[in-house]
Amino acid sequence: MKKKGNKELVGVKEIARRANVAIATVDRVLHNRKGVSEKTKAKITAIIEELNYKPNILARRLASKEILRFAVMIPSVSEETDYWDAPLEGIKQAESEIATYGIEIDKYFFDQNDRSSFLKASDEILKKKYHGILLAPMFAQESESFVRECTKAGIPCVFINSDLPDTASLCYIGPDLYHAGALAAHLCGYLIGEKANVLIVNISEIDNHRHFLRKEQGFKEYFEEYRKENNVIKLDIRDTAEQAISRELKKALESNKIDLIFVANSRVFYVAEFFEKYKIKNVKLVGFEFLKKNVAYLEQGVIDFLICQKPIEQGYKGVMALYQYCVHDIKVKDVHYMPIDIITKGNYQFYSN
Amino acid sequence: MKKKGNKELVGVKEIARRANVAIATVDRVLHNRKGVSEKTKAKITAIIEELNYKPNILARRLASKEILRFAVMIPSVSEETDYWDAPLEGIKQAESEIATYGIEIDKYFFDQNDRSSFLKASDEILKKKYHGILLAPMFAQESESFVRECTKAGIPCVFINSDLPDTASLCYIGPDLYHAGALAAHLCGYLIGEKANVLIVNISEIDNHRHFLRKEQGFKEYFEEYRKENNVIKLDIRDTAEQAISRELKKALESNKIDLIFVANSRVFYVAEFFEKYKIKNVKLVGFEFLKKNVAYLEQGVIDFLICQKPIEQGYKGVMALYQYCVHDIKVKDVHYMPIDIITKGNYQFYSN
DNA sequence: CTGAAAGCGCTTACAG
DNA sequence: CTGAAAGCGCTTACAG
C-alpha cells in the first residue's frame, strides 16, 4: 500500500504561488475567461507551460456545478429494421460510463425516410444550446446547414455511420463506404466462378441515400478492375412490401441467369426470405449488417457473408469523442474508419459489435 | 448551462445525519473496516440500502491517498514475433486512461519458451502485494499455482490470450480457441476443392502450448464433420531456423500433393517466406495474427486469410476489468470471448485491433 | 468503538 | 482586474 504524496505539487495552488496571484486568477486563465490583465495572464501562462501543468479532471468535475449536455440525433428504430438499436446501445453504454462526470445526453430520433422529421429534430437541438452533438447525417443538405449553425455557435459535431466529407466538424466515426463495398466484391470472388452473373439489389423507399451508392460504387469498381469477366447488373426496388419485392426479384431472376445477389444496405433478409419461399438454392447472397433476421439466414446458409462495421462501437466512440473533447480537451482525429468485419456461419456467434 | 443542485443529497453526510453518527463511521461501514459495533453497523447499512447510495468515485479517488497497483505479466516481444506488442499497446492505453484515478501498472515480461522466467516473474509479483494482476497463463501448471496463491491473498487475476478453464480467477478475456480453429477450417472451404489435401504446420520451439493444440483441434474436427473428403495431415517443426523450416516443408510438399497449409500460431510468415523463395504459387495459405510480416504476405496474395482476435483490445479490456473491479466494485463477466476477425486483402487496411 | 477536523485539487459566488 | 473563502463528496490521521 504505497501512498501518494512524494509527487511534485503542480496544481493551481502552486501556479498561484509562483505567479504571486490568487487561485481564482489562475482558474480564469486556465478557462480563458476574461477579466485578467494581459500582463498577469502572460505570466501565468508561462508558468503553466513551464510546469507542464495538467489539470486534475476528477477535481474539476467534482467541483464544477455545470452539467455538460450532449444531444444525439439518429434514426428511430423502425419495425422493418432494428439496425439503429446497435448505435443506440453504444451511446447508452458511453452515457452510463460518463454520467459520473456530470454529463447528460438527450436523444432525438428522426425518420430516415422523412426529411422534415430530421429538420424538426435539428431545430429543437439548436434551440437548446448543447455542449456537443452526435449525428447521423443521413440527409446531406439539411445536415450541412445544421452543422454550419452549430459551428457558428461553437458546438462540436460528431458524425457516425456516414460521412459528409467537406463539412467542418469534430470528427467522423464510421465505415469507409467505398472500401466496404469493394470488400463485399472481394468476398464474392470466393463464391462464384469467373463468368458468373452478379445482381446488385437496392431495396429502399426513397431516393438512394448517398452512402449506399458509395458502397455500390466500391463494389462495381472492384469487379471492373479485378473481375472483368463477371457481368454485374443492378435492380432498384423502391418498395419494402413483400409482394413488390418478390415480383421484382422474380422478374430479374427469370430474365437473367443470376449466380449471386449483393445488397448494399441491411435489407438483405428480404432477398433471403424470397429465396426461402421460392426454394431458390443456388444463388449466393452477400449483404450488410448484423441484424437478427440477417444472422438467422446466415446460420441457415441462405446468406453467405455479412459485412458489418461495429455499429455499437460507432455509437460508443461517437459519444466518447465528444466527452474527450469537452471534458479532457482532447481533439480526436478527424476521421476514424471502423474495421470492415466479415461475418460468416463460422464466426457469427462471437460477433458482438 | 443548467446547474447541478436540485438532486436529492445522498452522500456520506446525509447517511451520517440520518444514522446520527459521524461521517467517519459511515466510511468505516462503507469499506467494511472494523471498529464499528454491530448495532451501528446494521443501522448504517440499512440506511445505505434504503437510500440506494452510490459512492461518488471522483470524490473517493480524489480524497484517497492510496495508490492502486496492478501487475501485468505477459511474454516479452521477441525479435522473431512482435505479437505481444499489441496487447502491451492496449495495456498502455488503459493505463493512461486510468492514471488519473491514482492507478499504477508494473509490467513483467517472461520468455514464452522458458518456464523459469515465468516463475521468476510470478514470484516477484507475489512478493509485492498488488491489487490486481493481468496475466497470460502460457504455462498451465505454473499459472495455476500462481493463481492459487493470489486467490489466497485475495488478489484478483485476469487472464488474456488463453484460458485456464478450471482456475478460479476474476475473468478471461480472449479467443475461444476451438472456434477460432474451426473458423479457419470454414474459410479453407472457400479456397480448396472437395478432394484437396490440407497440411497443418506447427512451428514452435518447445512443446506445443496447449492453446495452439486447441485451435488445431477445432480445425481438424471441422474437417471431420463438414469436409470428410479432404485429407488433413500434420507437420511438426520444432525449430524456428529458416533452414530447418525449409527442409521440413520441402520434404512434406514432395511426399504429398498439398493444396493448402494452415498454421495455428502467428508464424505463418515462415511458410510464406518459403513459398516466396521456392516460387510456390498454387498452395493456399491460412494463418493467425495481424503481424507486419503476415500482413505483407497477405497484401502480396501469398497468404489468403489471417484470423485475428483483437490483441490490443484484449490488453485494454484486461486492465479495465481490474479497474472496474477494484475501483468501481463491478464484477465483469467470467468469460469474455473476443470476436473472430477475418482479415483478407480486401479489408486489412482497416483492421486496427 | 466513535467523532471532529483537515485535506484531495479544483470551481464558484461574492466582495472589493 | 483581483482575491479570500466556501464547497464538491469523499478519506485520513488523530484524539478520545
Side-chain angles (χ1 to χ4, degrees):
Chain A
M1 294 233 192
K2 296 195 186 172
K3 307 280 172 172
K4 298 176 188 173
N6 50 349
K7 296 185 182 178
E8 335 73 71
L9 16 146
V10 274
V12 284
K13 211 167 156 185
E14 173 66 8
I15 296 169
R17 196 187 63 73
R18 294 203 190 198
N20 206 8
V21 297
I23 293 177
T25 303
V26 175
D27 195 62
R28 287 183 186 100
V29 172
L30 240 23
H31 292 281
N32 245 314
R33 281 190 276 265
K34 54 189 176 175
V36 185
S37 75
E38 280 306 321
K39 201 177 150 196
T40 44
K41 183 171 177 178
K43 186 164 62 175
I44 292 171
T45 305
I47 293 171
I48 288 172
E49 297 250 315
E50 188 195 340
L51 259 42
N52 189 26
Y53 165 75
K54 301 272 175 248
N56 182 322
I57 304 299
L58 266 60
R60 178 176 281 183
R61 291 307 307 165
L62 180 63
S64 176
K65 293 208 167 359
E66 190 189 0
I67 290 182
L68 286 179
R69 306 177 66 78
F70 297 156
V72 163
M73 184 167 144
I74 58 176
S76 50
V77 175
S78 62
E79 273 189 45
E80 192 217 335
T81 160
D82 55 359
Y83 171 75
W84 283 95
D85 258 345
L88 185 57
E89 190 186 327
I91 288 162
K92 286 180 179 166
Q93 200 182 308
E95 184 179 20
S96 78
E97 274 185 32
I98 61 180
T100 178
Y101 289 94
I103 292 163
E104 289 181 0
I105 299 180
D106 290 345
K107 291 151 203 111
Y108 297 80
F109 301 99
F110 60 88
D111 178 347
Q112 52 182 316
N113 292 325
D114 178 7
R115 287 187 139 71
S116 69
S117 70
F118 184 92
L119 281 172
K120 192 173 153 242
S122 61
D123 280 350
E124 271 186 62
I125 290 173
L126 276 176
K127 273 184 214 143
K128 290 235 190 130
K129 297 282 169 208
Y130 286 95
H131 293 86
I133 293 164
L134 178 66
L135 169 72
M138 306 286 275
F139 300 102
Q141 285 198 345
E142 290 78 358
S143 299
E144 273 173 30
S145 71
F146 174 59
V147 172
R148 220 175 295 128
E149 291 300 314
C150 293
T151 307
K152 226 186 276 174
I155 304 168
C157 289
V158 170
F159 289 163
I160 56 170
N161 198 248
S162 67
D163 201 7
L164 225 50
D166 291 326
T167 313
S169 183
L170 187 57
C171 67
Y172 166 62
I173 294 167
D176 177 314
L177 296 160
Y178 182 88
H179 283 97
L183 174 69
H186 178 81
L187 293 177
C188 292
Y190 296 116
L191 299 172
I192 56 174
E194 282 187 357
K195 308 255 172 167
N197 296 317
V198 172
L199 178 66
I200 300 175
V201 174
N202 182 294
I203 304 168
S204 173
E205 278 181 348
I206 64 161
D207 280 6
N208 283 317
H209 281 297
R210 80 210 126 59
H211 53 288
F212 300 143
L213 290 177
R214 186 81 182 133
K215 284 191 209 166
E216 278 183 30
Q217 192 190 352
F219 187 85
K220 280 189 211 153
E221 292 185 10
Y222 182 94
F223 272 92
E224 280 160 22
E225 187 163 350
Y226 298 106
R227 300 188 61 99
K228 291 197 185 68
E229 301 285 299
N230 292 116
N231 183 29
V232 179
I233 54 181
K234 171 157 179 198
L235 171 64
D236 267 305
I237 304 178
R238 285 291 162 77
D239 198 327
T240 54
E242 197 199 314
Q243 289 204 338
I245 295 172
S246 283
R247 190 179 58 233
E248 297 290 330
L249 283 175
K250 236 187 211 166
K251 227 191 314 176
L253 291 183
E254 276 163 9
S255 48
N256 308 276
K257 191 202 165 303
I258 299 297
D259 301 286
L260 183 146
I261 289 180
F262 167 65
V263 183
N265 60 26
S266 68
R267 299 194 170 91
V268 61
F269 62 85
Y270 281 123
V271 180
E273 277 166 9
F274 170 79
F275 281 10
E276 198 177 36
K277 192 165 169 192
Y278 292 94
K279 309 222 181 323
I280 296 169
K281 301 244 167 194
N282 43 11
V283 181
K284 301 292 181 180
L285 193 47
V286 173
F288 276 85
E289 310 310 352
F290 196 71
L291 308 188
K292 276 201 196 85
K293 286 188 201 168
N294 287 348
V295 173
Y297 285 114
L298 190 76
E299 194 177 2
Q300 290 171 42
V302 181
I303 294 174
D304 295 273
F305 284 116
L306 285 173
I307 293 168
C308 189
Q309 306 215 236
K310 303 194 187 307
I312 298 178
E313 202 170 316
Q314 287 182 41
Y316 177 84
K317 290 201 167 168
V319 171
M320 293 311 268
L322 288 173
Y323 162 74
Q324 292 291 347
Y325 183 74
C326 295
V327 174
H328 296 274
D329 204 25
I330 296 171
K331 175 85 172 68
V332 291
K333 65 174 181 248
D334 285 4
V335 174
H336 182 93
Y337 286 129
M338 302 307 285
I340 309 173
D341 294 328
I342 303 169
I343 325 278
T344 76
K345 210 176 162 170
N347 68 344
Y348 75 91
Q349 308 96 315
F350 298 96
Y351 196 70
S352 57
N353 266 295
Chain B
M1 295 236 189
K2 295 195 188 174
K3 304 284 171 170
K4 298 177 189 173
N6 48 350
K7 296 186 185 178
E8 336 72 74
L9 15 149
V10 275
V12 284
K13 209 167 155 186
E14 173 66 8
I15 296 169
R17 196 186 63 74
R18 294 203 188 199
N20 207 8
V21 297
I23 293 177
T25 304
V26 175
D27 195 63
R28 288 185 185 100
V29 173
L30 241 24
H31 292 282
N32 244 315
R33 281 190 276 264
K34 54 188 178 177
V36 186
S37 75
E38 281 305 321
K39 201 177 147 197
T40 44
K41 183 172 176 177
K43 185 162 64 172
I44 292 170
T45 307
I47 293 172
I48 288 171
E49 296 251 316
E50 188 195 340
L51 259 42
N52 188 26
Y53 166 75
K54 303 273 174 247
N56 183 321
I57 304 298
L58 265 61
R60 178 175 282 183
R61 291 309 305 164
L62 181 62
S64 176
K65 292 207 168 1
E66 191 189 359
I67 291 183
L68 285 179
R69 304 177 69 78
F70 298 155
V72 163
M73 183 169 146
I74 58 177
S76 51
V77 175
S78 62
E79 272 189 47
E80 190 217 337
T81 159
D82 54 1
Y83 172 76
W84 282 96
D85 258 344
L88 185 57
E89 190 187 324
I91 287 161
K92 286 180 181 168
Q93 200 181 310
E95 183 179 22
S96 78
E97 274 185 32
I98 61 182
T100 177
Y101 289 93
I103 292 164
E104 288 182 1
I105 298 180
D106 289 346
K107 291 152 205 108
Y108 296 81
F109 302 98
F110 60 88
D111 178 347
Q112 53 181 316
N113 291 326
D114 179 5
R115 284 187 140 70
S116 68
S117 71
F118 184 92
L119 281 171
K120 190 171 154 244
S122 60
D123 281 350
E124 271 187 61
I125 289 174
L126 276 175
K127 272 183 214 142
K128 291 233 190 132
K129 297 283 170 206
Y130 285 96
H131 293 86
I133 293 162
L134 178 66
L135 170 71
M138 306 287 274
F139 300 102
Q141 286 197 346
E142 290 77 358
S143 299
E144 272 172 32
S145 71
F146 174 59
V147 172
R148 219 176 295 128
E149 291 300 315
C150 292
T151 307
K152 224 185 278 174
I155 303 168
C157 290
V158 170
F159 288 163
I160 56 169
N161 198 247
S162 67
D163 201 6
L164 227 49
D166 291 326
T167 313
S169 181
L170 187 58
C171 68
Y172 167 61
I173 294 167
D176 177 313
L177 297 160
Y178 181 87
H179 283 98
L183 174 69
H186 177 81
L187 293 177
C188 293
Y190 296 116
L191 300 173
I192 56 174
E194 283 187 356
K195 309 254 171 168
N197 296 316
V198 172
L199 178 67
I200 300 175
V201 174
N202 183 295
I203 305 167
S204 174
E205 278 180 350
I206 65 162
D207 280 6
N208 282 319
H209 282 296
R210 82 209 124 60
H211 54 286
F212 300 144
L213 291 178
R214 186 83 183 131
K215 283 190 210 168
E216 278 182 30
Q217 192 190 350
F219 186 86
K220 280 190 211 152
E221 291 186 9
Y222 182 94
F223 271 93
E224 282 162 22
E225 186 164 349
Y226 298 107
R227 301 187 61 99
K228 291 196 184 73
E229 302 285 299
N230 291 117
N231 183 30
V232 179
I233 55 182
K234 172 157 179 199
L235 170 65
D236 267 306
I237 305 178
R238 284 291 161 79
D239 198 326
T240 53
E242 196 198 315
Q243 288 203 339
I245 295 172
S246 283
R247 190 178 57 234
E248 296 291 330
L249 283 175
K250 236 187 210 162
K251 228 194 307 177
L253 291 183
E254 276 164 9
S255 48
N256 307 275
K257 194 208 163 296
I258 298 296
D259 302 286
L260 184 146
I261 290 181
F262 168 65
V263 182
N265 60 26
S266 67
R267 297 193 171 92
V268 60
F269 62 86
Y270 281 123
V271 181
E273 277 167 8
F274 170 79
F275 280 10
E276 197 178 36
K277 191 165 172 193
Y278 292 93
K279 309 223 181 326
I280 295 170
K281 302 245 169 192
N282 42 10
V283 181
K284 300 292 181 180
L285 194 46
V286 172
F288 277 85
E289 310 311 351
F290 197 72
L291 309 186
K292 274 204 197 82
K293 285 188 202 167
N294 287 348
V295 173
Y297 284 114
L298 190 76
E299 193 177 3
Q300 291 171 42
V302 181
I303 294 175
D304 295 273
F305 285 114
L306 285 173
I307 293 169
C308 189
Q309 306 217 235
K310 304 195 187 306
I312 298 178
E313 202 171 315
Q314 286 182 41
Y316 178 83
K317 289 201 167 169
V319 172
M320 293 312 268
L322 288 173
Y323 162 74
Q324 291 292 347
Y325 183 73
C326 296
V327 174
H328 296 274
D329 205 26
I330 295 172
K331 175 85 170 66
V332 289
K333 64 172 184 252
D334 286 5
V335 174
H336 182 93
Y337 286 130
M338 301 308 284
I340 310 173
D341 294 326
I342 304 168
I343 324 276
T344 76
K345 210 176 163 172
N347 68 345
Y348 76 89
Q349 308 97 314
F350 297 96
Y351 196 70
S352 57
N353 266 295

